Amino acid sequence: MSAPPLGADGWWPEAIRYESPHADDRPDPADITLLVVHNISLPGGRFGGPHVSDLFTGRLDYNTDPSFADLRGLKVSSHFFIRRDGRVMQYVSANDRAWHAGLSVFRGREKCNDYSLGVELEGTDDSGFEPAQYQALAVLTLALQSRYPLTDVQGHEHIAPGRKTDPGPLFDWEYYRKSWQALLNQKALDEPALVGASAGLRFAKGLLQSQ
């Protein structure tokens, strides 16, 4: 399975497109080196509803569920959201800064939103994730690499330790890496130069790995 890279406008043709108001310009549009993996479900532990998209687009009805009261006034977004069945939604152009990481630091650099891309997986720390999500994430990762100089993939838990725990202990980093590697090997048959450019991508290995 392969997919085209993102367009020059930062939108991926394979994703269902929404547009979030919770985004702004990057300080340096050429500095996009980190991919951050999250999980989300609204209400917590329930999948398939419209509420994640409503949150990211500023349309969430806070009266729909009692747990939404804590989200009132929250302005948050992600570049991408991957459903349990592998469908991919996009809310912010990858050229722009989505508001997904919050207070964060990676390899001594703060404000990870400035130089990262955010991908939310529909799930929880306790639910685990579906094979279709890993496959979609691998395809998306390769598509992003085709356009941006990504060097690292980390979980939200790694860039905000003690504050965030997602994607959690049930996220299988090795399965994700192997899925990506298999796609990269397939791509090498048609675009061998891409393999050389992408081979150095560093994946997190698990919960709160040493940086």
Side-chain angles (χ1 to χ4, degrees):
M1 181 179 181
S2 61
L6 279 72
D9 61 358
W11 292 92
W12 195 36
E14 295 296 305
I16 301 170
R17 179 169 172 169
Y18 296 82
E19 295 201 26
S20 172
H22 305 152
D24 57 5
D25 294 336
R26 294 182 185 274
D28 181 357
D31 181 18
I32 303 175
T33 56
L34 176 64
L35 181 63
V36 180
V37 181
H38 308 252
N39 75 46
I40 191 170
S41 60
L42 290 176
R46 288 166 55 184
F47 309 138
H51 305 304
V52 171
S53 289
D54 289 346
L55 176 65
F56 290 162
T57 56
R59 300 173 183 174
L60 184 63
D61 181 352
Y62 302 107
N63 298 314
T64 303
D65 188 272
S67 66
F68 293 170
D70 293 338
L71 302 176
R72 192 176 297 274
L74 180 65
K75 295 181 178 180
V76 66
S77 62
S78 182
H79 292 96
F80 300 95
F81 173 49
I82 302 179
R83 292 279 195 182
R84 302 293 286 182
D85 61 3
R87 286 176 296 154
V88 180
M89 283 74 173
Q90 184 174 1
Y91 302 88
V92 176
S93 165
N95 294 341
D96 296 330
R97 179 169 56 185
W99 303 346
H100 63 97
L103 293 173
S104 52
V105 60
F106 180 63
R107 299 192 186 279
R109 294 188 65 188
E110 298 182 344
K111 300 180 179 179
C112 292
N113 282 341
D114 290 354
Y115 55 94
S116 70
L117 297 163
V119 180
E120 296 272 3
L121 302 180
E122 188 172 34
T124 71
D125 290 6
D126 303 320
S127 68
F129 302 92
E130 298 294 336
Q133 291 179 288
Y134 287 105
Q135 182 69 15
L137 180 58
V139 171
L140 176 58
T141 301
L142 197 57
L144 292 170
Q145 285 183 280
S146 297
R147 181 151 199 92
Y148 302 104
L150 293 178
T151 58
D152 291 275
V153 185
Q154 297 287 303
H156 202 185
E157 62 198 324
H158 301 117
I159 64 169
R163 188 176 69 83
K164 293 294 182 179
T165 60
D166 58 315
L170 297 183
F171 182 78
D172 191 335
W173 286 97
E174 184 62 12
Y175 181 39
Y176 167 34
R177 187 195 66 77
K178 288 181 176 179
S179 298
W180 164 85
Q181 186 68 60
L183 291 173
L184 189 63
N185 291 343
Q186 293 175 16
K187 193 79 169 177
L189 298 176
D190 299 320
E191 301 179 49
L194 180 63
V195 176
S198 303
L201 190 63
R202 295 179 291 246
F203 287 78
K205 295 181 180 179
L207 185 63
L208 301 180
Q209 76 165 27
S210 172
Q211 297 184 32

